[in-house]
Amino acid sequence: MTANHGYDALVGRHAGSDRPFLRAPDGTAWSYADFADRAARLAGALASHGLRPGDRIAVQVAKHPDALALYAASLRGGHVFLPLNTAYTAAELDHFVGDSGAALVVCDPDTHEAVAPVADRFGARTATLAALAADADGADPAPVAARAPDDLAAILYTSGTTGRSKGAMLTHDNLLSNAATLKDAWRFTADDVLIHALPIFHTHGLFVATNVTLAAGSSMIFHDRYDPDAILAAMPEATAMMGVPTFYTRLLDHPGLTREATGGMRLFVSGSAPMLAETHRAWTDRTGHRILERYGMTETNMNTSNPYDGDRRPGTVGLPLPGVEVRVVDGDRAPVPAGETGMIEVRGPNVFPGYWNLPEKTAEELGPDGWFVTGDLGVLSDDGYLSIVGRQKDLVITGGYNVYPKEVEEALDDQPGVLESAVFGVAHPDMGEGVVAVVVPEAGAAPDPDALRAALEDRLARFKQPRRIEVIDALPRNAMGKVQKAALRERYADSFA
Ligand code: MLC
Ligand code: AMP
C-alpha cells in the first residue's frame, strides 16, 4: 500500500468506521466511512479533470460539507490545496491563481462568470464544486498518491508588507504534527462533538478545527455560518467550540448564554486575534467556563496554548505547545529576559518551509537555524506564559481576518485626487479592530469618501474596506519622514466607540 503521510493518518485510517464525523443543519450526516468515500470519489473526479500529484487546486466556495471532502480529496490525490476567502474579489483572485500556477479553480455557480476569465488568463481550468460533486457520484475512487512528510499539502495566501500576498507553503507533516499535538493538549477524544462555525478557508477552521477532529476521531456539528442562536441551540449536543474573539463577544450579548446552556460543554477555545482579558472574565462569570486562548499563524499553525489542566490566564496565550520552541528576542535576535518585550520567534515541526516562489522573502523571516520571525511582539512571564503585546508588522486584525494596510493604501492612492493615504486599525466593539483610512488630496482636489468607498468595492474584499474614511491635509510624520500610525490610531481611537 502506498503511504500518504497526511491522508492516511487523518482520513484513510477511518475508511471503514461507521462512527459519526459530521452533521450539518441541512440534514447532511456523514460517518467517517462516508467522508473517506466522498473524498476518494472526489479525488477520482479531480483526476478525471487531469489533476496530477503536486498540482495546485484553488478553491473559493461557500462553506459546505463537500468543500471539506474536497480538502481530503486533495490530500489523497497528492495535490496542493489552496483555499480562498469567499470575500476576495476577482481582482484579488487574479494574483492567487497567477502566482500559484493553479491547474484548477473551484468556485460556486454564482461566481463562475467572474472566476472563469481569471482562470482562463492563466491557463487553469474552472469547475464548480457542485459539478465536481456530481462527477464524484459516478467516479471510481482515485488511488492514494504517495506523499512524504515534507511534501506540500497546502498553500495559504497571507498578505504582506508589500501589499502583495505571499503563499505560505504547508507540508503534510506541518499539518499532521500540529493536529496530533493539539488533540493531546486539548484532550480531544472520539467522544467529543465540536461546534464548527468558522470559515474553512483559513488555518483556524480548516486545520485547527478539522484536523483536530480527524486526529481524535471526534465529530463535528458543521454550521455554514456563525449564528449565535444556532450555536446556542447546538450546545446541548456538543462538547467543544473553537472561535475568534468576536464569536465570544457576540454570544455574551445574547441573553441565552447561561450556565445551563453551556453546562454540557467541556472546552471553549479562542484564537486568531487578541481576546480582551475582560471578555475572558465576563465569560467565566456568565458560564463558569474558562476560555482556553491559544496563539498561531498561517505560517506556523499553533505555537502556544493555555493549559488544559492548570491556570488559563486571561490576556496571555499560554505556554509553548509540546515540541514547539518559543523565544522573545531583541533587535540582534538575542533572547531577552522574562518580563522584557521583544520579537516572538518560533521553531518546530509546525513551522512552514517557506513562501511559494519567494526564496528571498522566506530567508528574511525564516533563518537557516529554523527560527521563524513572527512579527508579533511579546513578553514571557517568569513561569513561561507568553503575552502578545503588539505587532511589529503593520497589520489590522478585524473579526479574525487580517488586513494589511499597505494593500488598502495602494488601492486608495490609485484613486483620482488622492495624493497619499494611511490605513490603520482602532478598537471596534464587535470586530476587535476596525479599519480606518485617512487620505490626503492632491493640490486642488477634493476626493469624496463615498466615491472612494465605491471605488474599492471591486478591488478589495469587504472586510478590508475602511469602515471610516477621512480627508485630511497632511499625514503626521516623524523626523525620518515615516508616517506616525500610533498618532493616527490615537486621534481616531473613538471612531467606533
Ligand atoms: C464580515 N464583515 C467583516 C468581517 N466579517 N468586516 C470586517 N471584519 C470581519 N471579520 C463584513 C461583512 O461583509 C458585512 O459587510 C459586515 O461586515 C457585517 O457582517 P456580519 O454579518 O456582522 O458578519 P458575519 O458574517 O457575522 O461575520 C463576522 C465573523 C466572521 C466574525 C463571524 O468575520 C468570521 O467568521 N471571522 C472568523 C475569521 C477567521 O476564521 N479567522 C481565522 C484566520 S486563521 P456589509 O457592509 O456588506 O454589511 C489565523 C491563524 C490563527 O488567524 O491563529 O487562527
Ligand atoms: P494569520 O496571518 O491570519 O495567520 O494571523 C496570524 C496573526 O494573528 C498572528 O501573527 C497574531 O498577530 C494574531 N493572533 C493569532 N492568535 C492570536 C491571539 N490569541 N492573540 C493575539 N493575536 C493572535
Side-chain angles (χ1 to χ4, degrees):
M1 208 178 95
T2 316
N4 179 313
H5 190 69
Y7 181 81
D8 294 345
L10 292 173
V11 187
R13 76 186 168 92
H14 298 295
S17 163
D18 58 8
R19 290 194 49 80
F21 167 59
L22 173 150
R23 262 184 298 149
D26 74 355
T28 306
W30 281 349
S31 67
Y32 268 96
D34 294 334
F35 181 61
D37 183 64
R38 194 78 185 142
R41 288 176 199 283
L42 273 168
L46 291 174
S48 73
H49 280 259
L51 237 69
R52 291 190 307 258
D55 284 349
R56 274 79 61 208
I57 319 175
V59 179
Q60 188 186 37
V61 297
K63 193 175 175 186
H64 186 281
D66 267 334
L68 212 55
L70 190 63
Y71 158 60
S74 173
L75 288 175
R76 179 178 175 111
H79 314 303
V80 180
F81 197 65
L82 207 154
L84 295 167
N85 194 323
T86 46
Y88 294 148
T89 63
E92 291 168 303
L93 199 65
D94 203 83
H95 171 64
F96 304 129
V97 176
D99 187 65
S100 68
L104 178 69
V105 184
V106 183
C107 62
D108 281 327
D110 60 337
T111 53
H112 188 270
E113 198 181 315
V115 169
V118 176
D120 282 351
R121 249 162 55 71
F122 298 105
R125 293 166 175 239
T126 311
T128 63
L129 180 59
L132 282 177
D135 292 348
D137 287 334
D140 289 329
V144 178
R147 287 289 101 171
D150 290 342
D151 281 332
L152 286 194
I155 297 178
L156 267 64
Y157 276 83
T158 158
S159 287
T161 41
T162 56
R164 272 280 175 225
S165 286
K166 303 164 287 183
M169 302 189 286
L170 292 156
T171 66
H172 277 245
D173 198 55
N174 289 151
L175 304 185
L176 191 55
S177 66
N178 211 234
T181 299
L182 294 174
K183 164 187 92 82
D184 291 343
W186 298 342
R187 309 278 198 276
F188 270 78
T189 71
D191 293 332
D192 273 304
V193 180
L194 177 75
I195 295 177
H196 192 309
L198 288 158
I200 52 169
F201 37 67
H202 289 308
T203 295
H204 199 163
L206 183 62
F207 299 145
V208 184
T210 305
N211 291 344
V212 167
T213 301
L214 292 167
S218 316
S219 66
M220 58 167 85
I221 304 176
F222 192 73
H223 295 259
D224 59 3
R225 51 186 287 273
Y226 171 81
D227 170 11
D229 286 322
I231 286 185
L232 284 165
M235 268 188 204
E237 295 168 47
T239 63
M241 184 178 88
M242 298 181 192
V244 296
T246 301
F247 278 30
Y248 293 97
T249 53
R250 287 188 181 180
L251 276 164
L252 280 165
D253 286 339
H254 195 296
L257 182 79
T258 59
R259 262 170 207 266
E260 296 68 48
T262 56
M265 298 284 285
R266 69 165 185 90
L267 182 63
F268 291 96
V269 178
S270 177
S272 306
M275 168 164 274
L276 296 175
E278 68 190 58
T279 306
H280 196 283
R281 293 194 186 102
W283 190 267
T284 302
D285 289 346
R286 272 281 275 291
T287 69
H289 290 278
R290 292 181 71 75
I291 293 170
L292 185 152
E293 186 171 4
R294 62 34 168 203
Y295 160 60
M297 292 181 73
T298 302
E299 288 91 334
T300 64
N301 293 286
M302 299 302 104
N303 299 312
T304 71
S305 171
N306 272 278
Y308 188 81
D309 297 314
D311 190 10
R312 299 183 193 166
R313 267 181 222 165
T316 81
V317 292
L319 306 158
L321 283 161
V324 180
E325 294 173 90
V326 175
R327 67 182 189 185
V328 174
V329 301
D330 63 18
D332 296 324
R333 299 190 70 181
V336 300
E340 279 181 30
T341 297
M343 173 64 73
I344 303 170
E345 298 190 346
V346 300
R347 178 163 79 173
N350 54 315
V351 175
F352 79 145
Y355 295 108
W356 176 256
N357 281 342
L358 291 173
E360 280 149 35
K361 194 76 210 161
T362 300
E364 278 170 30
E365 295 180 18
L366 184 63
D369 54 4
W371 285 104
F372 175 67
V373 184
T374 62
D376 292 312
L377 299 173
V379 53
L380 283 165
S381 70
D382 286 333
D383 55 355
Y385 279 69
L386 181 69
S387 300
I388 297 174
V389 296
R391 295 175 210 127
Q392 177 129 314
K393 51 192 173 195
D394 193 12
L395 164 69
V396 181
I397 305 184
T398 169
Y401 287 146
N402 289 5
V403 179
Y404 278 80
K406 186 78 188 161
E407 186 182 7
V408 185
E409 288 161 3
E410 283 175 3
L412 285 167
D413 294 351
D414 284 349
Q415 304 310 316
V418 175
L419 178 67
E420 57 178 358
S421 62
V423 169
F424 48 94
V426 302
H428 188 286
D430 183 36
M431 297 292 183
E433 287 184 290
V435 180
V436 177
V438 292
V439 300
V440 177
E442 283 170 352
D448 167 34
D450 285 335
L452 292 174
R453 230 180 292 274
L456 299 187
E457 273 302 288
D458 288 340
R459 186 153 165 182
L460 295 176
R462 193 87 179 143
F463 67 87
K464 299 179 189 171
Q465 296 170 21
R467 298 271 180 119
R468 174 175 180 183
I469 301 179
E470 292 292 325
V471 180
I472 62 174
D473 292 339
L475 299 179
R477 291 181 187 278
N478 66 14
M480 311 285 289
K482 191 171 182 299
V483 177
Q484 292 175 297
K485 293 219 170 161
L488 286 168
R489 274 194 289 271
E490 204 171 312
R491 196 188 303 170
Y492 293 95
D494 293 334
S495 296
F496 309 112

